[in-house]
Amino acid sequence: MTEDSLPHRLVEELQTAEHIVVLTGAGVSAESGVPTFREAQTGLWAKYDAQELATPAAFRRNPKLVWDWYQWRRGLIWSASPNEGHYALAQLEQLCPRFSLITQNVDGLHQEAGSVNVIELHGNLWRNRCFANGHPVDPGGEILAPDTDGPPRCPRCQSLLRPDVVWFGETLPRSSLDAAYAAAQTCQLFLVIGTSAVVHPASSIPYVAAESGALIVEINPERTPLTPHADFALHRPAGQIVPRLVAHAWPNAHTTRTN
Ligand code: BJW
């Protein structure tokens, strides 16, 4: 596919779909400088496997290590900004009659770009809750402060604080998962953008959409287990292809980007 040869049927579907659903993963934030989950960590973290840090067992074993990793990621994301892909998705929400954005990302960059109807499957890095009882704790201004002693404690029960994200072996927020499946069952077009499509249950959602008759479109520079099941697979970075799709489908739309 060349830059100018977007599939005609896809552009038409974008223009006519009553309900479009998008599922995003870490690849959408890659062009903002946020490392994806399965690429090599950098610097201090190069020797750690992210999959082994994002578990309750890792936190029990070494809370300071896991907390420090999240503080490092918070610092990275704090200095990152949404990219063209995030902004194009926010614009898409304004242009189509019904739109749902399901994200596995915890960085909040979709909301920062202006997306409103965002279903967060794996929580949000900018909140904390306590490990023992799940008490939500307002992180306040000190969220980025270095913690030499490891995680702070819950003011209510004194147990250690953790980020309010979903780790391996934990269940996803019921209401988010229900909303995601419901959206998948009623859409005509389902875009899967920047995810390796290997983490359950998020990876099952495109199949629910396909069974309900939606057209499945994958946007990812690499192949994934979903690729053979997609109606269209566009092997390009999201920040290049999503803005082009929106511009082709709505040539007269003005960009909503304000920065
Ligand atoms: C670009 C790009 C550009 C680059 N443009 N694209 C065996 C079989 C089946 C299931 C299981 C199993 N063993 C265990 C499980 C269950 C487990 C699971 O699925 N594990 C798999 C690894 C096999 N799932 C769970 O535990 C979930 N809970 C659950 O199932 O509960 C029930 C249950 C309980 C107990 C036992 C069994 C079941 C919870 C999953 C929670 C995932 N949490 C994390 C961490 C969140 C917090 C944090 O950020 O730290 O979520 S893990 C991590 O993976 C993170 C991500 O949201 C998630 C998905 O990753 P994502 O977004 O796809 O990123 P990458 O890095 O994998 O891929 C990036 C992609 O972008 C790549 O494809 C690039 O090519 C692409 N890309 N640049 C577009 N510019």
Side-chain angles (χ1 to χ4, degrees):
M1 191 193 69
T2 67
E3 279 289 283
D4 290 318
S5 64
L6 293 171
H8 184 63
R9 178 164 173 227
L10 172 53
V11 173
E12 248 178 26
E13 287 286 338
L14 274 166
Q15 291 165 330
T16 55
E18 277 296 310
H19 185 191
I20 297 177
V21 176
V22 178
L23 170 68
T24 63
V28 156
S29 296
E31 289 156 89
S32 293
V34 180
T36 64
F37 211 79
R38 283 169 184 79
E39 77 188 358
Q41 307 281 304
T42 52
L44 184 64
W45 299 102
K47 63 181 175 189
Y48 295 101
D49 178 351
Q51 293 209 59
E52 281 161 24
L53 292 170
T55 70
F59 189 80
R60 264 188 218 101
R61 214 168 28 241
N62 193 341
K64 177 168 163 44
L65 176 75
V66 174
W67 181 259
D68 285 351
W69 181 56
Y70 278 98
Q71 292 299 87
W72 170 73
R73 289 177 55 202
R74 281 171 169 160
L76 266 183
I77 294 164
W78 183 258
S79 50
S81 302
N83 63 56
E84 297 299 329
H86 292 110
Y87 285 113
L89 290 173
Q91 191 182 14
L92 186 56
E93 180 169 11
Q94 302 301 319
L95 292 168
C96 68
R98 196 172 154 212
F99 181 87
S100 317
L101 176 52
I102 306 166
T103 188
Q104 299 168 84
N105 297 348
V106 298
D107 56 28
L109 290 176
H110 284 303
Q111 292 91 332
E112 204 180 309
S115 288
V116 179
N117 186 11
V118 182
I119 301 169
E120 291 182 321
L121 290 180
H122 293 163
N124 190 296
L125 194 61
W126 301 108
R127 297 189 300 256
N128 282 325
R129 61 184 154 95
C130 75
F131 187 68
N133 298 304
H135 296 137
V137 178
D138 181 0
E142 66 276 7
I143 195 155
L144 290 172
D147 293 289
T148 45
D149 299 329
R153 289 188 178 269
C154 174
R156 279 171 71 187
C157 68
Q158 297 308 310
S159 88
L160 296 174
L161 295 191
R162 55 165 285 180
D164 188 9
V165 298
V166 182
W167 284 332
F168 285 115
E170 296 184 320
T171 52
L172 278 63
R174 190 71 252 171
S175 58
S176 303
L177 197 55
D178 286 349
Y181 281 128
Q185 280 163 347
T186 55
C187 67
Q188 292 81 46
L189 184 57
F190 194 99
L191 308 176
V192 186
I193 310 180
T195 175
S196 56
V198 295
V199 174
H200 296 258
S203 59
S204 68
I205 300 171
Y207 297 95
V208 172
E211 276 164 28
S212 306
L215 195 78
I216 308 298
V217 180
E218 183 179 57
I219 298 174
N220 193 320
E222 306 292 335
R223 288 180 64 83
T224 75
L226 180 70
T227 309
H229 306 277
D231 296 290
F232 295 103
L234 310 179
H235 295 297
R236 294 288 175 93
Q240 284 178 20
I241 212 76
V242 184
R244 286 198 64 81
L245 277 174
V246 174
H248 269 66
W250 289 276
N252 299 319
H254 297 292
T255 176
T256 52
R257 186 171 168 176
T258 50
N259 72 342

